[in-house]
Amino acid sequence: MSNRLPPAWSKHIKSRPAPKVQPPKAKPPSRAQADDMLLRQALELQQAKRLPEAEELCHRVLARTPNHPLSLYILGTLGLGIDDELALKYFARAVSQTPQNPYFHLSLGEAGLKLGDSLLAIRHLQRACELKPDLVEALCGLARAYVNFDKAEMALPLYEKALKINGDHPMVRIGLAGALASLGRMDETRAYLNQAIERRVDVGAAYNYLVDTQKFTEKPAELDSILRELSNPRLEPVAASQLHHAAGKVLNDLERYDEAMDHFQKAKKAAGHDFDLEYYRRSVDSMIEIFSPSLLEAKAGHGSPSEVPVFVLGMPRSGTTLTEQICASHPDVHGAGELTKLRRIANSMGFRTQSDEDLRSSIMSMTRDQSRALAEEYLSYLRQHAPAALRIVDKMPHNFEFIGVIGILFPHARIIHCRRDAIDNCVSCFVLHFTKDHGYNADLETLGLYYREYDRLMRHWNKVFPGRIFESRYETLIADQEAQSRRLIDHLGLPWDDSCLRFFEKDRSVNTPSRWQVRQPIYTSSVKRWKKYESTIQPLIHALGDLAEL
C-alpha cells in the first residue's frame, strides 16, 4: 500500500489546545472529537507504515460516521498502487462530501491518471486548479492529462505557469520537456532538460530523456557527465537505473555495443524489478482453457456490432506506434494512443480476482444485454476521443491478453497484431527504461521466456478467431511500406489515401518511446539490430529457443 500522506492534514482535523486534566465526571468526547483522534492515530500508523492498522481505524470511523470525507480520503491514499480502482472510488466519495477541497480533487485526478482515465483526470484536476490556482501538483497533473489525451499543446501554458510558481519542482521542467517532445519540438525539449540537470532536478530522468532526443555520431560531453553521476555511491536505485540506460543509449549510438549492454544490464539490476513467470504461465493456460471454441460459439451474437474500434496490439517495441501512425494518417481514422479501458473492463469481469472456474462461469452467464452494456461503456469512452471518426485506434500493446474479450464484445472490430523478429523485439525492449509494470523485462532470460508465452497465447487466438487477426510484420512494412500500408487500410475497410505514406508529417502528439522515430521516414537500421549484441545476449537467444531466427 502507499504511505502517501494526505496533504495539508492540519486543515482537515480541528486543532485543539493541549489537553488539560479533566475532572472525574468530565463528559466523553463528542463523536467528531473521537473521529479526529482515530484519524490522527491512522496518520501516525500510516507514517509508521503500519498500513492495515491505519485502514482498520478509518473503517471504524466510517462505521459510525458514514461518508466521513477525511476517512475516505485516507483510505484512497492507502489503496494507491494496490487497488487503484478502489482508491479512485474512495477519492470520488470524498470529493462528493467535500467538493470545495482542492486536494481531494487533486488526488481523484491523479488516480484517474494512474488508471489511464484522462477525461476524469482533466475534469477534477481542472477543478483543483480553480480552487487553488497556485497548486503546482494540480497544474502539472492537468498538463500530463492533456498530453495523454493528445492535447499536448494545451499542456504548455500550464507547465509555464507552474514554472513561474516553483521552477525547481521536480514535475515541472521534466514534464514540460515531455510535452514538447510529444509535439516533436526537440530543441526546446533539450533546453528544458539541460536546465533541469543544471538545477539538479531529477537528474537521472533528465539525462535519460535527454539522450533519447537525438542520435549521437561522436562522443558527447553528456556521456562523461552521466558516468560521473554514476560514480556517486549514494545514488538512489531509480536514478541509477535511468543513468545506466542513458549511458547505454549513448554507447549504442557510438557502436560500443559491449559497453552499452553492460550498462543496460546494470540498469535492470539497479531497478530491481522482478516477475513471477510461473504465475504468468498459469494465466496464459487459463486464457487458453477459458476461451475455448465452445465458449466463443456460445457467445456468438453478443456485444456490439460497431466497427469503430481498431485494436493494434503485440509485444512492446514491435511496431505498434508506427502502425498506429500510418493508420491515423488516414482522414477517417483517429489514433487514441495506449488506452487502459479494455483492461479495466476485463478486470471488472473478474479477470484479476476470480478463479478460473468462477471467471468461466461469469463469462458463460453473461447475457446479451450485459455484454452490450460493457461494449457500450468502452465505445462511449472511445468516442470521447474523436466523435466523428469512422475508426478509432487503441494501440495498447498488452491488449493481446484480452483478444478473447474483444472477440465477444466487438465481433466486428479490427484487430492488428504487430509482430517483429523475436530477438530484435526483445533487445529493443531490454535497452529501454520500462516501469515495474513490465517486470518481465528485468533480465534477458526472463524476457525470452515471457516472449514464448506471448507467442503461445497469440497462436491460440489465431486458432479460435481464424481470419480475424491481421498480422503486420515489422520487417515486411519496412521492406515495402506502400504495399503493407495499403493492406492495413484495406483491413480497416476504408479506401486508400496517399497521406498514409507520409505518416511522419502527421500533426499529432506521440507519447511512447517511438515518438522520435515516427516523425522520420521509414528506416531499416532496426532490422537484425540484435546481431550487434550477439555475444552478450546468449541467455535471451537460448530462452527464445525455436522462436529465435538466427
Side-chain angles (χ1 to χ4, degrees), residues 153-401:
E153 69 282 353
M154 297 179 68
L156 302 183
L158 293 164
Y159 279 126
E160 288 162 1
K161 181 178 179 180
L163 196 62
K164 292 176 182 177
I165 297 169
N166 183 359
D168 289 329
H169 194 289
M171 291 183 178
V172 180
R173 292 179 196 274
I174 301 291
L176 178 53
L180 289 164
S182 72
L183 292 168
R185 294 162 59 174
M186 294 304 179
D187 289 341
E188 294 165 88
T189 297
R190 284 188 282 273
Y192 280 108
L193 291 171
N194 280 315
Q195 289 176 23
I197 292 166
E198 290 168 8
R199 290 170 174 262
R200 309 300 299 167
V201 177
D202 205 354
V203 171
Y207 271 121
N208 194 38
Y209 292 138
L210 179 63
V211 300
D212 251 354
T213 63
Q214 64 185 104
K215 185 174 177 65
F216 299 96
T217 56
E218 57 186 41
K219 181 182 175 181
E222 288 87 349
L223 180 58
D224 287 336
S225 299
I226 292 166
L227 296 176
R228 277 195 301 272
E229 296 287 347
L230 282 167
S231 69
N232 179 1
R234 296 190 298 275
L235 203 58
E236 292 291 325
V238 171
S241 177
Q242 292 167 330
L243 288 164
H244 276 300
H245 270 293
K249 194 275 181 185
V250 176
L251 290 164
N252 173 79
D253 286 354
L254 299 176
E255 300 182 359
R256 293 160 59 179
Y257 299 114
D258 287 356
E259 294 172 79
M261 182 55 68
D262 182 57
H263 279 285
F264 294 138
Q265 297 269 21
K266 289 176 178 175
K268 304 307 180 190
K269 186 175 180 180
H273 299 159
D274 55 15
F275 186 72
D276 190 339
L277 184 63
E278 288 307 313
Y279 176 83
Y280 191 73
R281 279 176 172 150
R282 290 194 298 272
S283 73
V284 171
D285 290 340
S286 298
M287 291 301 99
I288 291 173
E289 184 178 353
I290 290 170
F291 288 94
S292 63
S294 59
L295 180 140
L296 295 171
E297 184 179 354
K299 296 289 109 179
H302 280 57
S304 166
S306 174
E307 296 184 49
V308 171
V310 177
F311 297 93
V312 173
L313 42 78
M315 279 287 289
R317 310 297 294 159
S318 62
T320 55
T321 301
L322 175 58
T323 300
E324 182 199 34
Q325 188 81 344
I326 290 170
C327 294
S329 298
H330 193 286
D332 293 326
V333 181
H334 176 77
E338 298 182 357
L339 306 180
T340 61
K341 187 63 175 176
L342 184 67
R343 178 177 292 275
R344 295 176 69 191
I345 287 175
N347 288 341
S348 75
M349 296 168 66
F351 272 70
R352 198 175 62 168
T353 57
Q354 292 186 348
S355 67
D356 292 356
E357 192 56 44
D358 288 344
L359 178 57
R360 184 187 295 104
S361 297
S362 174
I363 295 172
M364 284 299 295
S365 63
M366 181 171 58
T367 66
R368 290 175 186 268
D369 287 343
Q370 288 171 332
S371 67
R372 197 171 298 117
L374 289 173
E376 190 52 46
E377 179 185 342
Y378 178 87
L379 282 171
S380 177
Y381 181 80
L382 207 59
R383 289 191 186 105
Q384 292 179 76
H385 288 77
L390 295 183
R391 304 283 184 270
I392 303 176
V393 180
D394 176 347
K395 63 138 294 205
M396 178 61 79
H398 284 275
N399 279 344
F400 73 77
E401 297 173 340

Side-chain angles (χ1 to χ4, degrees), residues 523-539:
Y523 55 90
T524 62
S525 58
S526 291
V527 176
K528 292 297 180 182
R529 173 191 181 190
W530 67 266
K531 287 185 175 294
K532 299 169 182 176
Y533 287 104
E534 186 168 5
S535 65
T536 60
I537 59 169
Q538 288 305 306

